[in-house]
């Protein structure tokens, strides 16, 4: 069977393998890739080269250009034939791993809602897709500032998907380094100054 040989772009200028009766494009030292490797490894040069399915041709189903796999069909159409599925059904495109599929609001594996908000407080500019936890985003919008280190947003009713402002309250995890009165007083003054502008919103 005469098999059409695909020629690699940019690696061959029309030369043919110097091995007798080969006919494949020459890639290295005048040999095709298969004969070059055989010469390099000291293997017999005149044994037949196994023809790959891609070189034989595409799937025999009309309009399909996928490479052959089994029974003159590609993997997709062979599987459809085997399972009795419509051979001309549209092909579903698989989503890329970790893809959000163009959505702007999703529930992550921990049950929290994430939203895409490029440019939120200067984050994710230049068209980057930056995702934020919705409950933290809502609190930052309400306060008009990014959350400080040690601040957490708590769901009052325990529902992680209920991110209405009435269900959210700001918690803080910071604490004084010791339990002496002086330490507690200094910590209390620091907290008071930190939240001076937020008193009406809290």
């Amino acid at each position: 069977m005469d098999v059409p040989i695909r020629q690699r772009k940019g690696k061959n200028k029309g030369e043919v393998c110097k091995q007798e009766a080969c006919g494949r494009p020459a890639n290295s030292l005048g040999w095709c890739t298969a004969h070059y490797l055989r010469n390099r490894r000291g293997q017999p040069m005149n044994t037949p080269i196994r023809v790959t399915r891609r070189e034989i041709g595409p799937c025999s189903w009309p309009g399909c250009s996928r490479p052959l796999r089994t029974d003159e069909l590609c993997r997709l159409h062979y599987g459809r034939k085997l399972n009795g599925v419509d051979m001309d059904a549209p092909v579903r495109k698989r989503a890329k791993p970790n893809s959000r599929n163009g959505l702007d609001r999703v529930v992550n594996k921990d049950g929290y809602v994430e939203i895409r908000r490029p440019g939120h407080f200067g984050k994710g500019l230049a068209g980057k897709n930056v995702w934020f936890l919705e409950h933290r985003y809502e609190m930052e919008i309400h306060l008009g500032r990014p959350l400080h280190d040690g601040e957490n947003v708590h769901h009052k009713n325990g529902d992680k998907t209920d991110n209405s402002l009435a269900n959210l309250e700001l918690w803080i995890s910071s604490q004084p380094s010791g339990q002496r009165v002086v330490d507690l007083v200094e910590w209390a003054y620091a907290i008071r100054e930190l939240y001076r502008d937020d008193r009406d919103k809290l």
Side-chain angles (χ1 to χ4, degrees):
M1 179 177 67
D2 292 332
V3 178
I5 304 299
R6 295 188 306 168
Q7 183 171 323
R8 295 186 180 182
K9 295 180 179 179
K11 290 193 174 184
N12 182 277
K13 298 180 180 179
E15 296 92 350
V16 178
C17 178
K18 64 184 181 182
Q19 181 66 26
E20 184 178 354
C22 176
R24 292 169 176 259
N27 291 323
S28 302
L29 300 178
W31 278 299
C32 65
T33 303
H35 284 111
Y36 170 78
L37 292 175
R38 287 183 177 187
N39 178 65
R40 185 174 178 180
R41 296 167 182 168
Q43 298 172 340
M45 300 289 283
N46 55 357
T47 55
I49 296 175
R50 183 171 60 90
V51 179
T52 66
R53 291 187 178 97
R54 289 183 179 272
E55 289 176 326
I56 293 174
C59 175
S60 62
W61 192 257
C64 181
S65 59
R66 294 179 180 84
L68 288 177
R69 297 296 297 177
T70 307
D71 206 15
E72 300 298 318
L73 295 170
C74 64
R75 180 177 293 173
L76 171 71
H77 286 109
Y78 177 74
R80 288 182 173 182
K81 179 182 177 182
L82 197 64
N83 297 311
V85 179
D86 180 14
M87 299 287 277
D88 291 316
V91 180
R92 292 184 304 172
K93 292 184 179 180
R94 293 184 179 181
K96 295 179 180 179
N98 302 322
S99 172
R100 309 258 182 173
N101 298 327
L103 299 177
D104 288 330
R105 189 174 190 270
V106 296
V107 179
N108 65 20
K109 63 180 181 180
D110 297 320
Y112 292 100
V113 177
E114 292 187 36
I115 55 176
R116 187 172 64 87
R117 293 292 186 272
H120 175 58
F121 286 117
K123 303 174 184 177
L125 297 177
K128 293 182 180 178
N129 293 337
V130 174
W131 289 78
F132 298 89
L133 293 169
E134 188 177 44
H135 59 289
R136 293 178 62 87
Y137 173 83
E138 293 294 340
M139 184 60 69
E140 289 183 337
I141 292 297
H142 175 65
L143 297 174
R145 62 168 176 80
L147 294 178
H148 300 309
D149 291 338
E151 288 183 332
N152 298 309
V153 180
H154 175 67
H155 294 88
K156 295 179 182 178
N157 63 6
D159 183 0
K160 298 177 182 179
T161 62
D162 182 2
N163 294 314
S164 59
L165 198 58
N167 187 45
L168 303 177
E169 57 185 3
L170 189 65
W171 283 23
I172 186 170
S173 60
S174 67
Q175 58 185 10
S177 57
Q179 297 299 319
R180 296 182 304 169
V181 174
V182 174
D183 295 332
L184 292 172
V185 171
E186 290 183 1
W187 178 76
Y189 275 114
I191 290 295
R192 181 179 178 183
E193 288 300 316
L194 182 63
Y195 292 101
R196 178 183 297 275
D197 297 333
D198 298 330
R199 289 182 59 184
D200 295 337
K201 297 175 182 178
L202 297 174

